Structure formats: structure tokens, C-alpha cells
């Protein structure tokens, strides 16, 4: 297997790391991966992750709902109900934070196209990038939208978009720094980047540790906290002007984490525990399972 070995921290350039934990791929392969933490900035990453040409098979699980759009099972049903609600809040968030009612948006890792379809309904001109062919075909059939392959990111005209969004996608992207640079280049001077990421310092990450579903190796290559994402954003000429909580994620992540633990009645236990963890997350955004970062160019 071709793997990617990281010897320089992508955030701060340091080359000394400490083993944070061994984490199993509960979803697809059952293989174990090591998550390392940078001694200098605290950024964590999956070491020796499968390279882009082979990682596809690690996404090949029927439970991988963000690409397959399956509705089987309790967790997936719940996911689809929540998606309806979150689609509305995502579009509101873009409109409010970009400061314009209509404009041009690029969504990177757009999946089956539900979010961009919603933005289109709101009157926005949309561009989508999605590496999975099956997801692109789904979006074409269902919404009549044509999305681009990954390489398109580097061909988009400079300063052409009012907003660029990535909803739980940056943690999957091998070219981390290149992607951040591209976003900056593509955005208009007053444009807004909206980037949602799991938070490795959240109350649920702290509770579940090696079972925390949002480590999701080897699909998640990078594991952010609000501090180290801010460092990365600033390195690329952005200011984090706001952080917004994604309150629902803690329930979904708790359900999956209980499944990882093989808990009896995992769904029920996950929901109840998710409720307690949700209450903890109300004490501050740094405890939230997922955080949406609103970035402006400096
Ligand atoms: Zn570092």
C-alpha cells in the first residue's frame, strides 16, 4: 500500500512529534493507525495514511452516509432528518456571514449536492467540487447539477467567489496547505471562507478518547482544535472572525462512538450521553464536537 509519511508539521513546520493514540478504522478496514501530535503547536495528524490513489477503498462502507446517501438503519434515518434542519442553518450562516443575500459560492467536497442545491434555491450561483464520481452522478441525476473533479480547484479564476465552503472536508484533504492557499486566491477581497471541522478538544473527544468517532482514521488525516486551526488560517493570510457551534454533531458522534465501543443498545446510550455532552458544550465553543470557522482575508 502506498502511504503518506508526514515528517514536517503542516501547521508550524516543526519535526518532533509524540504518539497521541492508536486508533482503529472501525468503519471499513479494521486496520490500526497512529495519530501523532506536534510537540510545538499541538496539531495532530494520522501518520502513514493511505495516499490518494488507494484511499478510495477506505470509503467503501455502506455506512458511509455522506457519500452513499443510504437511508438504512436508525442512525442513517436520524442523519437524514438532521440534514434537513442543518441545510437550512448552513445556508443562513453563509448569507449572514458573507453579508450578501446572493452571490457566487464554491463548495469543496460537496458530496451528493444537497447543500449547493439549497444555495441555488436561495438564488446563489454555485460551483461544486467532488472527487467521488458516484456522488457527482447522483447530484447530476437528482438536482441537474454538474460538479467538478478535485483538480478544478487550482483552475478557478482568482478573486471570483464571494464565499468558499468546506463542510467537514478539509480533514480529508491530503493537500492541506495547497487547499488553504487556493481558497485564499479564489475569494474576492471581501470574500468569506466557511470551514467546518471536528474539534479534537471537544467534550465528546475527551469522553470517548480512542473510541471517538470523529478521529475516523484513515479518512480523517488531520485532527484540529480551535487553536491549531487558527494558526493554520493565519499562516495563509486569514483571520478567524467568528466560530459557530454545530450542536447536532455531538449526538451523531456519540452514537457512532458507542457503536465503536460495542456498547449494548449503542444508539440509545449514545443519544443519552450525547445529551449530557451537548449540555457540557454549552459552556463554551471549545467544548463543541464540531466548530464552523468564519474566515476573512487579512
Ligand atoms: Zn506543529
Amino acid at each position: 500500500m502506498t502511504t503518506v509519511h508526514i515528517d514536517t508539521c503542516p501547521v508550524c513546520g516543526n519535526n518532533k512529534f509524540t504518539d497521541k493514540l492508536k486508533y482503529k478504522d472501525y468503519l471499513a478496514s479494521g486496520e490500526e493507525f497512529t495519530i501523532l501530535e506536534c510537540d510545538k503547536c499541538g496539531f495532530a495528524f494520522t501518520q502513514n495514511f493511505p495516499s490518494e490513489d488507494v484511499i478510495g477503498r477506505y470509503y467503501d462502507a455502506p455506512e458511509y452516509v455522506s457519500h452513499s446517501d443510504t437511508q438504512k438503519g436508525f442512525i442513517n434515518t436520524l442523519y437524514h432528518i438532521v440534514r434537513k434542519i442543518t441545510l437550512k442553518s448552513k445556508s443562513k450562516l453563509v448569507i449572514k456571514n458573507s453579508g450578501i443575500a446572493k452571490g457566487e459560492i464554491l463548495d469543496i467536497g460537496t458530496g451528493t449536492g444537497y447543500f449547493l442545491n439549497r444555495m441555488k434555491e436561495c438564488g446563489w450561483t454555485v460551483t461544486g467540487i467532488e472527487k467521488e464520481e458516484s456522488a457527482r452522478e447522483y447530484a447530476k441525476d437528482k438536482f441537474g447539477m454538474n460538479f467538478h473533479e478535485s483538480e478544478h480547484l487550482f483552475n478557478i479564476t482568482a478573486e471570483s467567489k464571494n464565499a468558499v465552503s468546506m463542510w467537514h472536508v478539509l480533514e480529508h484533504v491530503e493537500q492541506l496547505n495547497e487547499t488553504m492557499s487556493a481558497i485564499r486566491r479564489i475569494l474576492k477581497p471581501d470574500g468569506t471562507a466557511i470551514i467546518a471541522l471536528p474539534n479534537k478538544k471537544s467534550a465528546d473527544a475527551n469522553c470517548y478518547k480512542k473510541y471517538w468517532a470523529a478521529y475516523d482514521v484513515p479518512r480523517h488525516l488531520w485532527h484540529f482544535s480551535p487553536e491549531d486551526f487558527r494558526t493554520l488560517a493565519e499562516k495563509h493570510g486569514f483571520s478567524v472572525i467568528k466560530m459557530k457551534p454545530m450542536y447536532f454533531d455531538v449526538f451523531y458522534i456519540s452514537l457512532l462512538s458507542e457503536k465503536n465501543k460495542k456498547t449494548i443498545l449503542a444508539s440509545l446510550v449514545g443519544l443519552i450521553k450525547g445529551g449530557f455532552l451537548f449540555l457540557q458544550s454549552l459552556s463554551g465553543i471549545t467544548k463543541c464536537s464540531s466548530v464552523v470557522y468564519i474566515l476573512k482575508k487579512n
Side-chain angles (χ1 to χ4, degrees):
M1 181 170 74
T2 329
T3 56
V4 176
H5 183 84
I6 304 290
D7 50 18
T8 307
C9 171
V11 172
C12 77
N14 179 43
N15 57 9
K16 291 216 164 41
F17 313 112
T18 304
D19 278 22
K20 186 175 162 66
L21 49 87
K22 295 249 187 284
Y23 191 90
K24 200 169 135 185
D25 172 10
Y26 294 97
L27 196 63
S29 70
E31 290 167 29
E32 211 172 56
F33 292 85
T34 302
I35 295 174
L36 296 184
E37 200 169 72
C38 171
D39 288 351
K40 195 173 164 195
C41 75
F43 178 65
F45 57 88
T46 306
Q47 185 59 294
N48 299 325
F49 58 80
S51 60
E52 260 178 23
D53 51 329
V54 290
I55 204 163
R57 76 179 176 91
Y58 292 89
Y59 285 86
D60 196 12
E63 297 86 357
Y64 207 74
V65 282
S66 54
H67 284 89
S68 70
D69 213 47
T70 174
Q71 296 229 18
K72 273 186 214 149
F74 175 69
I75 290 181
N76 284 333
T77 307
L78 197 69
Y79 173 87
H80 285 86
I81 294 168
V82 170
R83 182 171 64 186
K84 275 194 186 147
I85 304 166
T86 50
L87 276 177
K88 229 179 202 176
S89 72
K90 281 176 178 176
S91 57
K92 266 190 195 163
L93 198 137
V94 171
I95 290 165
K96 191 175 167 210
N97 289 288
S98 64
I100 50 172
K102 287 174 195 176
E104 287 201 32
I105 184 166
L106 165 72
D107 188 42
I108 305 170
T110 202
T112 45
Y114 283 86
F115 166 67
L116 278 188
N117 183 57
R118 167 83 193 164
M119 292 310 295
K120 210 171 139 189
E121 286 170 355
C122 295
W124 282 63
T125 304
V126 304
T127 306
I129 290 178
E130 171 53 45
K131 72 172 185 176
E132 286 292 317
E133 197 187 350
S134 58
R136 290 199 304 271
E137 275 169 11
Y138 182 98
K140 198 175 175 181
D141 289 347
K142 187 160 176 95
F143 303 116
M145 294 195 289
N146 287 299
F147 297 146
H148 302 270
E149 292 182 43
S150 305
E151 301 73 42
H152 182 68
L153 178 66
F154 304 100
N155 301 326
I156 296 174
T157 312
E159 300 192 355
S160 63
K161 306 290 178 200
N162 301 98
V164 175
S165 55
M166 288 186 99
W167 303 101
H168 287 113
V169 169
L170 190 64
E171 66 273 32
H172 295 262
V173 173
E174 191 178 316
Q175 292 175 296
L176 176 63
N177 281 298
E178 293 86 345
T179 301
M180 290 298 290
S181 299
I183 295 171
R184 193 179 195 286
R185 192 185 64 80
I186 290 162
L187 277 174
K188 291 184 179 183
D190 60 349
T192 312
I194 295 149
I195 298 177
L197 295 165
N199 172 13
K200 72 163 187 266
K201 294 256 173 95
S202 62
D204 43 313
N206 191 38
C207 167
Y208 285 112
K209 297 187 171 66
K210 68 173 185 165
Y211 298 107
W212 188 51
Y215 281 123
D216 201 23
V217 299
R219 291 160 295 279
H220 288 189
L221 318 177
W222 323 114
H223 310 282
F224 292 98
S225 69
E227 304 94 84
D228 42 47
F229 183 68
R230 187 185 293 273
T231 310
L232 180 74
E234 287 173 356
K235 182 173 118 179
H236 288 279
F238 286 109
S239 292
V240 178
I241 60 153
K242 219 185 274 178
M243 292 192 279
K244 302 283 286 175
M246 288 185 99
Y247 286 127
F248 280 129
D249 286 31
V250 69
F251 292 98
Y252 187 58
I253 294 298
S254 299
L255 283 177
L256 294 176
S257 303
E258 292 294 342
K259 269 183 89 179
N260 291 347
K261 282 175 79 175
K262 299 199 186 310
T263 307
I264 299 163
L265 297 173
S267 301
L268 183 65
V269 175
L271 271 185
I272 295 166
K273 234 186 215 177
F276 282 110
L277 291 162
F278 163 72
L279 291 175
Q280 277 188 45
S281 74
L282 293 176
S283 69
I285 190 132
T286 52
K287 296 284 167 218
C288 276
S289 186
S290 285
V291 177
V292 187
Y293 300 88
I294 314 291
L295 273 52
K296 291 276 188 188
K297 283 173 153 189
N298 289 333

